[in-house]
Amino acid sequence: MKEEKTKQIKKRIKEEIKNTISSIKEYKLLTKPITPENAIGRVSRMDAINNKSVIEAALRKAEEKLKQLEFIKTQVDNDDFGICIKCYKEIPIARILIVPHSRYCVNCA
Ligand SMILES: [Zn+2]
């Protein structure tokens, strides 16, 4: 049973890493500097700049998540994997599969 779970979690982490990497690539493309020639009126330029900071924030978040996922990937085989690092209760597998990079249970997150 435990092995089956571990396999499922590993698969999920792998998927999530793949998705996160492709998001990062996308965000990086979108945060390329805004050149004057593809601008647009003053208002849409402001829009573009606003969007840029939103995307940059998303990019930083995705990079952080990727780091956490890479770390978690190395932890899955440990006996204490799946234990909340705050309250030491077991994290339900359903939660692990939704947010595999989290090391907290729902209550402590
Ligand atoms: Zn907890």
Side-chain angles (χ1 to χ4, degrees), residues 36-54:
E37 54 268 27
N38 46 25
I40 40 187
R42 191 172 162 269
V43 172
S44 23
R45 193 170 159 77
M46 294 282 282
D47 266 357
I49 290 166
N50 275 338
N51 285 341
K52 193 169 181 269
S53 54
V54 170

Side-chain angles (χ1 to χ4, degrees), residues 1 6 11 18 29 33-34 37 39 42-45 47 50-51 55 58 65 69-70 72 76 82 89 92 97 99:
M1 182 59 198
T6 307
K11 197 174 150 235
K18 219 176 107 197
L29 276 178
I34 307 155
E37 54 268 27
R42 191 172 162 269
V43 172
S44 23
R45 193 170 159 77
D47 266 357
N50 275 338
N51 285 341
I55 295 161
K65 185 176 167 187
L69 284 166
E70 296 282 6
I72 288 291
V76 180
K89 281 186 190 141
L97 293 177
V99 277

